[in-house]
């Protein structure tokens, strides 16, 4: 158990809809990262928050947004969903502002599987 | 553009033998490399890492080798055990950056 909790585990929705994925980081971790894993793809970095502030953006679509709340949990909002948005979405946390290297590895949740029909 | 590549989607090895998983990268600015292991229905878990100032790092049955000139790294598992059966992701980063670049993964099956 990594200590990172993601809900829901599975989500099935229709094109055009909006969904919210939730992540609770490990206790004490200030950094939260979101990754997307599409079929046969590696994990693609979406966005990084540190202690409530956005620190970096990766290949995140404008239809997607995220935030980190004062209690450090994070939400990833996906809107105007398309079939191609179907993927596994992982949240990861780490202690430091760093990116999971050295003494601060990334701890991943079990992911949310999103299916857009 | 896939900056980290794992060209073998799958690998099967007999229990007790050596498993060698390969990874190539294109960005010469990467200076830290990691391997993650993923079981079905779980998130990736950190396995082992190596800094670019080293060419080898060992942790028990797991050894990572780095060849900077070839932009290539490999993960050796000796001896392989059935519990090692999982998907292995290679990842790379430039120190100070915020983005870990992952490969597409190699599914290792260790046959008892």
């Amino acid at each position: 158990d990594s200590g990172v909790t993601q809900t829901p585990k599975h989500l099935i929705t229709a094109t055009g809809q909006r969904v919210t994925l939730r992540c609770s980081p490990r206790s004490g971790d200030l950094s939260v990262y979101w990754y997307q894993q599409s079929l046969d793809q590696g994990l693609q970095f979406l966005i990084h928050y540190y202690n409530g502030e956005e620190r970096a953006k990766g290949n995140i679509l404008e239809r997607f947004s995220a935030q980190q709340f004062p209690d450090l949990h994070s939400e990833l909002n996906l809107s105007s969903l398309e079939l191609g948005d179907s993927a596994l979405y992982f949240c990861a946390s780490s202690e430091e502002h760093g990116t999971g290297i050295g003494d601060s590895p990334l701890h991943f949740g079990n992911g949310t599987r999103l299916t857009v029909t | 553009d896939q900056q980290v590549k794992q060209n073998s989607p799958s690998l099967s090895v007999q229990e007790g033998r050596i498993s060698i998983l390969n990874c190539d990268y294109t960005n010469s600015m990467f200076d830290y490399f990691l391997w993650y292991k993923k079981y079905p229905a779980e998130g990736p878990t950190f396995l082992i890492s190596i800094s670019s100032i080293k060419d080898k790092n060992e942790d028990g049955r797991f050894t990572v080798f780095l060849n900077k000139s070839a932009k290539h790294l490999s993960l050796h598992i000796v001896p392989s055990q059935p519990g090692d059966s999982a998907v292995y992701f290679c990842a790379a980063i430039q120190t100070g950056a915020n983005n870990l670049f992952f490969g597409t993964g190699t599914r290792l099956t260790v046959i008892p």
Side-chain angles (χ1 to χ4, degrees):
Chain A
D1 183 6
S2 68
V4 178
T5 303
Q6 288 188 248
T7 56
K9 290 185 179 179
H10 301 278
L11 200 48
I12 301 174
T13 189
T15 54
Q17 295 299 304
R18 172 189 169 94
V19 296
T20 297
L21 313 184
R22 182 187 170 100
C23 170
S24 294
R26 285 191 329 156
S27 177
D29 284 358
L30 299 178
S31 273
V32 170
Y33 305 79
W34 286 96
Y35 283 85
Q36 178 194 55
Q37 185 186 16
S38 301
L39 188 64
D40 294 332
Q41 297 290 314
L43 286 81
Q44 301 292 322
F45 169 68
L46 295 178
I47 198 164
H48 169 213
Y49 277 85
Y50 176 76
N51 202 20
E53 293 187 7
E54 180 187 305
R55 290 293 186 170
K57 272 187 175 180
N59 298 322
I60 187 167
L61 300 172
E62 286 190 9
R63 300 183 285 109
F64 296 0
S65 65
Q67 52 185 328
Q68 186 179 26
F69 295 86
D71 66 353
L72 300 177
H73 92 270
S74 178
E75 293 181 356
L76 180 66
N77 300 297
L78 315 177
S79 62
S80 303
L81 284 168
E82 302 175 358
L83 296 177
D85 298 327
S86 296
L88 263 173
Y89 291 85
F90 287 102
C91 167
S93 72
S94 70
E95 294 178 2
E96 302 291 336
H97 173 227
T99 47
I101 66 176
D103 294 330
S104 184
L106 290 182
H107 300 272
F108 283 84
N110 290 339
T112 293
R113 181 173 293 281
L114 173 66
T115 302
V116 182
T117 62
Chain B
D1 179 28
Q2 194 73 22
Q3 298 190 44
V4 178
K5 300 177 184 178
Q6 294 177 259
N7 293 319
S8 297
S10 63
L11 174 68
S12 291
V13 173
Q14 290 286 337
E15 180 179 3
R17 299 290 191 106
I18 184 172
S19 295
I20 300 176
L21 294 89
N22 294 304
C23 177
D24 298 294
Y25 61 96
T26 59
N27 189 340
S28 58
M29 300 301 290
F30 290 148
D31 57 2
Y32 204 86
F33 305 89
L34 306 91
W35 285 93
Y36 280 80
K37 176 179 175 180
K38 183 183 179 305
Y39 292 118
E42 295 183 9
T45 56
F46 170 73
L47 186 59
I48 192 169
S49 63
I50 187 167
S51 163
S52 61
I53 62 174
K54 296 184 176 181
D55 54 19
K56 175 183 174 181
N57 188 27
E58 191 172 351
D59 183 2
R61 295 185 299 111
F62 303 91
T63 303
V64 56
F65 295 92
L66 175 63
N67 182 334
K68 290 187 292 294
S69 61
K71 295 192 180 66
H72 176 84
L73 63 156
S74 60
L75 175 68
H76 292 210
I77 307 174
V78 183
S80 301
Q81 300 174 354
D84 297 328
S85 296
V87 176
Y88 289 79
F89 290 97
C90 170
I93 191 169
Q94 177 183 354
T95 303
N98 273 283
N99 186 1
L100 258 181
F101 287 87
F102 283 85
T104 52
T106 296
R107 181 179 301 278
L108 173 66
T109 303
V110 180
I111 304 165

